[in-house]
Amino acid sequence: MEKIIIFGVSQLASLAHFYFEHDSPHEVVAFTLDKEYITENEFRGLPVIAFDEIEGLYPPSQYKMFLPISFKQMNFLRKRKYEQAKQKGYQCVSYISSKATTWPDLDVGENCFIFEDNTIQPFVKIGNNCVLWSGNHIGHHTEIRDHVFITSQVVISGCCIIEENAFFGVNATIRDETTIGKGTLVGMGANITKDTPEYSIWIGAKSAMREDKSIDIDSISHKTKG
Ligand SMILES: CC(C)(COP(=O)(O)OP(=O)(O)OC[C@H]1O[C@@H](n2cnc3c(N)ncnc32)[C@H](O)[C@@H]1OP(=O)(O)O)[C@@H](O)C(=O)NCCC(=O)NCCS
């Protein structure tokens, strides 16, 4: 059993602790956080240690790290903290839910957080420091580079290339053989049919409320009674 330290004391850190506790061979032994953000010395019954002192108490030769950090600053915050952990000499673990659908020879880097109900088809390659929230489809031969965040119910079709730091909102859909440029922000519900330029922003179609009609609740309740 490997002993690991989780970065952060956020909801995401709580989730990571929960998933590691219930669905992994790893044992979480401590949390770490930048000193200026520490308000309590304990989180979920474990010690909270300042990040700049962590390697003295929990040396990288004996402990690994997991940094579950959000998409803030287009994933650059997560990238920065991951690189700092690497500079300290830590190897980072990845969590892949036992409830995700995967196949042998899955190619996933370090510090990835892959939730339940992701379908990851054969020949997919996922880099380091990526988050795949629940329920995405990642089509065969797609390559996801480092520091990417995929929220939920996103369809990335086969043979796509997803460059570093891209973000995908819920229910986005990507056509097969598409390259999503570095730092692209794909909004919820967007349908991407062409390659995207670096740091571009995409939104989906808006729903429009019908101004001429609404549901006649009296007639519905009358019918169900009858
Ligand atoms: C693309 C996005 C980042 C834009 O955010 P924003 O700049 O704050 O945009 P606003 O909320 O101010 O909306 C601006 C306009 O664009 C529309 N809009 C925003 N996002 C849209 C989307 N994804 N699809 C269609 N229209 C959208 C809004 O309705 C609004 O229209 P209006 O000007 O007619 O009122 C955001 O809407 C989005 O899709 N975020 C991802 C959400 C998500 O997946 N959350 C799960 C995270 S765990």
Side-chain angles (χ1 to χ4, degrees):
M1 188 182 268
E2 286 173 329
K3 293 187 186 328
I4 63 167
I5 306 147
I6 292 180
F7 184 92
V9 293
S10 62
Q11 287 183 356
L12 208 42
S14 292
L15 277 171
H17 182 238
F18 182 93
Y19 281 109
F20 276 111
E21 211 176 13
H22 292 283
D23 186 32
S24 92
H26 306 304
E27 183 194 358
V28 181
V29 294
F31 290 87
T32 183
L33 194 61
D34 289 328
K35 202 184 248 163
E36 59 270 32
Y37 295 104
I38 296 181
T39 55
E40 307 276 344
N41 293 327
E42 229 183 69
F43 184 66
R44 293 182 66 89
L46 294 171
V48 178
I49 311 292
F51 191 55
D52 59 2
E53 294 163 9
I54 191 76
E55 61 272 42
L57 289 163
Y58 295 89
S61 54
Q62 291 170 45
Y63 299 89
K64 294 185 177 174
M65 198 172 277
F66 186 68
L67 301 95
I69 299 174
S70 77
F71 46 77
K72 264 186 203 146
Q73 302 166 6
M74 282 304 293
N75 301 305
F76 277 97
L77 176 63
R78 194 170 70 260
K79 177 180 179 187
R80 196 161 62 246
K81 297 318 292 188
Y82 167 71
E83 286 172 351
Q84 285 172 3
K86 296 304 294 173
Q87 278 156 16
K88 286 175 184 284
Y90 284 101
Q91 196 182 334
C92 297
V93 297
S94 281
Y95 167 80
I96 302 170
S97 170
S98 64
K99 297 176 196 300
T101 301
T102 61
W103 295 98
D105 303 324
L106 177 62
D107 190 347
V108 175
E110 289 187 10
N111 205 50
C112 289
F113 199 174
I114 301 181
F115 288 70
E116 59 273 12
D117 296 327
N118 277 281
T119 295
I120 303 174
Q121 291 194 319
F123 308 112
V124 165
K125 200 169 172 212
I126 300 175
N128 297 314
N129 202 25
C130 293
V131 179
L132 278 67
W133 213 272
S134 51
N136 303 292
H137 167 92
I138 314 295
H140 64 95
H141 293 95
T142 277
E143 197 174 321
I144 297 175
R145 306 252 153 94
D146 297 348
H147 323 301
V148 167
F149 200 109
I150 305 175
T151 58
S152 265
Q153 307 294 336
V154 173
V155 174
I156 298 183
S157 307
C159 305
C160 289
I161 294 175
I162 313 299
E163 298 284 8
E164 288 187 6
N165 289 79
F167 169 89
F168 296 83
V170 290
N171 267 308
T173 301
I174 315 299
R175 184 185 185 166
D176 50 297
E177 297 190 9
T178 304
T179 297
I180 300 297
K182 182 175 179 179
T184 296
L185 193 169
V186 181
M188 55 188 176
N191 286 316
I192 304 294
T193 57
K194 293 178 183 161
D195 296 353
T196 68
E198 286 190 2
Y199 302 112
S200 54
I201 301 174
W202 299 77
I203 58 170
K206 257 184 283 186
S207 297
M209 189 176 80
R210 284 191 69 161
E211 303 287 354
D212 59 329
K213 262 189 182 170
S214 60
I215 294 161
D216 182 354
I217 196 70
D218 289 338
S219 101
I220 292 172
S221 48
H222 173 71
K223 278 181 190 153
T224 46
K225 268 183 220 153

